[in-house]
Structure formats: structure tokens, C-alpha cells
Amino acid sequence: MHPLLLDVALSAPPSGAALPPPSPALPPPRRGAADAEGRAVPRLFVAVFSRRGGVELRGDIRPMWQRAAALIGRLTYKFAVCTKAGQTQDAARIDRRLALEAARFGDLLPLPCEEGYGRGRLTSKLLMALRCYFLTFDKADLFMKTDDDTFVAWSRLFPLVVREWRSYQGGLYMGVLYNRTPFISRDPSDPFYEPWDVYSKFDYPKSAAGGPGYILGSELVRGALREHVAERNLLWNEDKAVAVWVDELLCQYGYRVGYRNVPGTDGYRRRIAYGSWRAYPHMLHHGLSGESIACLQRVEAAGNWDAFVDSCLQ
């Protein structure tokens, strides 16, 4: 394990402790740096942001990530969890459950950050994840961050990622994009509060929504760290912080940036009826339960375009 991750080690499970049931078997991954036509295919590292206590949710969605890693072959995923419990009362119990989970699946990424959303904690967690990517998973061409309550339709998303990466390479910035917005909450009671002393401008630059997830090219990650752009701009809203980093790299340092939209939803809008998998419009769908994500994953895996998806979203 890299020294960056040694803030708190996840110990092995105690002797005789029960382990979670194994996930369904998957076919061996396909390897190689090119597609059937000999064109380059990017390597992708995904940090799935998850709560320390989200063991059950990770259990529901893990098959989606295992299947994506196996079928794509160029994808590595890790559930990013903070090692500092914050104000959680049952930290010791959660640590034991994390140890069991880590020993069984090997897909946890412990980060030296404090659990929580407010006061920029999520942005600090992202910075830790980017440093880990830069130091440990640097062979990946792309970095992706998403939340553990997001369904990712990989059969649709990955071909789009490959196509856009071939155009923009390390300057790619993909996600459910919002245009430059003049609304910034200065209300301390608002979950999206942004203090004036943290960010003093009157608008946010073009940004990708944080919950559904975004993809950054390796050069943008390296630039944000190397130029200390990320450290200087630790906004309390993590997705807007990334937008500021990318905008500064573009405008002040001359980085080439390709903004590309991904069909998706942040999950805050009223749900509608979609009907069949063929009509389902999202590649990234945020704000879902573990059961809904598992259900949609099964629909996608079945490959039946006429399968009914609304029952997954009840």
C-alpha cells in the first residue's frame, strides 16, 4: 500500500469471523491497448465515493463495478472511503466491518480524510483521491469520480468515453455539464453553502455535476496538482471546485480542455416514466438506492432492449 494511504490501516478480519457471500462469477477480463480495429483504448481509474458505513450499499452495487472491470478490461475501480470517522459514534464497529470487506473483496481505497460533506470535506477527499491516482494509478489515462448511489450504463458510456478521449486525450473533462451559473449560495444553512472567504467570485464556471460523476484526463489531474491549482481552490462544493480547477488550467495556464456532456441526471428532479431499456436516456443516473442500481445493472447485462426499467426505479 502506498504511504499516502497508511494514515489508518485496515487490519485483517479476526480469526473465525464471518465473511460476506461471494459475488457472482464473472468472465475473465479482456486485456489489450487497442480495439478490434487497432485503435487505442484508454485506461480508466474510477474512484467511487462511499461512506464508511455504506457496506450494504456497496454490496448491492459491487456486481455493476465488477462486471464493468471484467468486460472492459481497461477499467480499475475502488470504493474511496475516509479513514477518519468524524463524529460517528460507532467508529470501532465500522472499522471491523471495513476490515472484513477489504479482506474479502480488495476494492476499498482508504483515504486520510474526514468523513462528511460540509465545510469542504468532500473536496478534501477528492484531492486525496487525485493524489492517490497520480502516485499509484498513474498508468491510467483517465480519472473518474462518481458516487455510490449512481448507476453507470457502461455499455453506453464507455464507447462515448473512448470516442471523446481519442479527440481530447489528457485534456478531457466529461460529465453531466451545467453552463456557467451566477447562483452561488451564501446561506450558511444551505447544504451547498460557499463562503465568501473560500470563493469570492460571483459565478461558477462551466461544471460537471458531482453526484453522477465526471471524468478528467490525466494531464488535467497532473496540472491541477503540479500547478497547485487544486490546493489554492478548495471550494466547499466539490464539483464546483473541479470546475474552477479546469477553468484556471484553461485560462491561466493554457491547457487544452475538451468539455463533453454525458446524458444523465443528478437525481434531484422529479422522476419520470421511461418504459423500456431502449428508451432509458441516461448513462449516469444519480440518487438511486442500491436495489435500483442492482436492478438496472441486471437489465443492462441481459441485453434486452425491450426490457421494462421503471420497476427498477420505484
Side-chain angles (χ1 to χ4, degrees):
M1 183 178 294
H2 195 279
L4 176 68
L5 308 180
L6 292 179
D7 184 66
V8 175
L10 294 178
S11 60
S15 177
L19 293 174
S23 295
L26 291 167
R30 297 198 302 262
R31 302 297 178 186
D35 62 13
E37 299 177 3
R39 295 174 298 180
V41 176
R43 292 160 294 191
L44 179 62
F45 173 75
V46 187
V48 185
F49 275 30
S50 188
R51 295 179 300 105
R52 287 165 46 82
V55 178
E56 288 77 13
L57 176 55
R58 289 190 291 274
D60 286 337
I61 69 173
R62 184 169 276 111
M64 176 183 73
W65 290 105
Q66 290 176 323
R67 181 174 182 272
L71 296 181
I72 292 173
R74 306 278 292 168
L75 181 150
T76 300
Y77 78 92
K78 297 288 182 181
F79 291 110
V81 295
C82 290
T83 57
K84 300 177 183 178
Q87 298 180 350
T88 304
Q89 297 298 318
D90 53 353
R93 181 184 64 85
I94 292 176
D95 282 341
R96 289 193 295 271
R97 297 192 70 184
L98 283 172
L100 288 169
E101 186 181 5
R104 181 69 179 95
F105 298 106
D107 58 5
L108 297 188
L109 178 63
L111 297 172
C113 53
E114 183 178 348
E115 179 94 333
Y117 181 86
R119 303 184 65 85
R121 292 186 183 92
L122 207 57
T123 309
S124 296
K125 181 176 182 177
L126 173 64
L127 182 56
M128 294 296 102
L130 289 175
R131 287 172 174 167
C132 179
Y133 162 77
F134 183 72
L135 294 170
T136 309
F137 300 97
D138 60 314
K139 292 184 179 180
D141 304 289
L142 298 167
F143 170 91
M144 179 178 181
K145 177 265 173 182
T146 189
D147 285 354
D148 60 4
D149 59 348
T150 294
F151 168 68
V152 184
W154 282 110
S155 63
R156 300 174 178 180
L157 177 61
F158 194 69
L160 177 64
V161 170
V162 171
R163 183 169 69 247
E164 301 299 348
W165 174 78
R166 287 170 178 162
S167 297
Y168 295 101
Q169 299 282 311
L172 184 62
Y173 179 34
M174 292 184 72
V176 181
L177 292 178
Y178 298 136
N179 290 324
R180 182 177 292 271
T181 173
F183 177 76
I184 300 177
S185 176
R186 305 299 184 179
D187 177 4
S189 66
D190 191 327
F192 302 107
Y193 171 52
E194 195 75 75
W196 281 104
D197 61 345
V198 173
Y199 185 68
S200 60
K201 296 183 180 180
F202 291 92
D203 61 3
Y204 288 124
K206 190 173 186 178
S207 62
Y214 43 79
I215 295 172
L216 291 168
S218 58
E219 284 306 307
L220 295 181
V221 174
R222 291 188 180 95
L225 298 176
R226 183 171 53 226
E227 312 294 351
H228 304 287
V229 170
E231 293 178 23
R232 288 198 306 269
N233 298 280
L234 290 175
L235 279 65
W236 283 18
N237 289 276
E238 154 256 336
D239 53 343
K240 302 305 182 186
V242 175
V244 169
W245 303 345
V246 173
D247 185 69
E248 186 168 323
L249 289 172
L250 171 67
C251 298
Q252 297 187 27
Y253 292 91
Y255 279 65
R256 179 173 181 258
V257 177
Y259 291 85
R260 308 306 296 171
N261 187 58
V262 174
T265 176
D266 57 19
Y268 297 119
R269 297 171 180 82
R270 182 178 63 87
R271 292 183 182 177
I272 62 175
Y274 298 110
S276 68
W277 173 247
R278 186 189 310 275
Y280 179 73
H282 304 309
M283 295 183 186
L284 297 169
H285 194 153
H286 177 241
L288 298 177
S289 67
E291 292 83 358
S292 290
I293 293 172
C295 181
L296 288 169
Q297 189 272 145
R298 290 192 294 269
V299 170
E300 181 181 31
N304 180 2
W305 288 97
D306 296 319
F308 191 66
V309 301
D310 290 345
S311 58
C312 294
L313 303 172
Q314 300 300 322

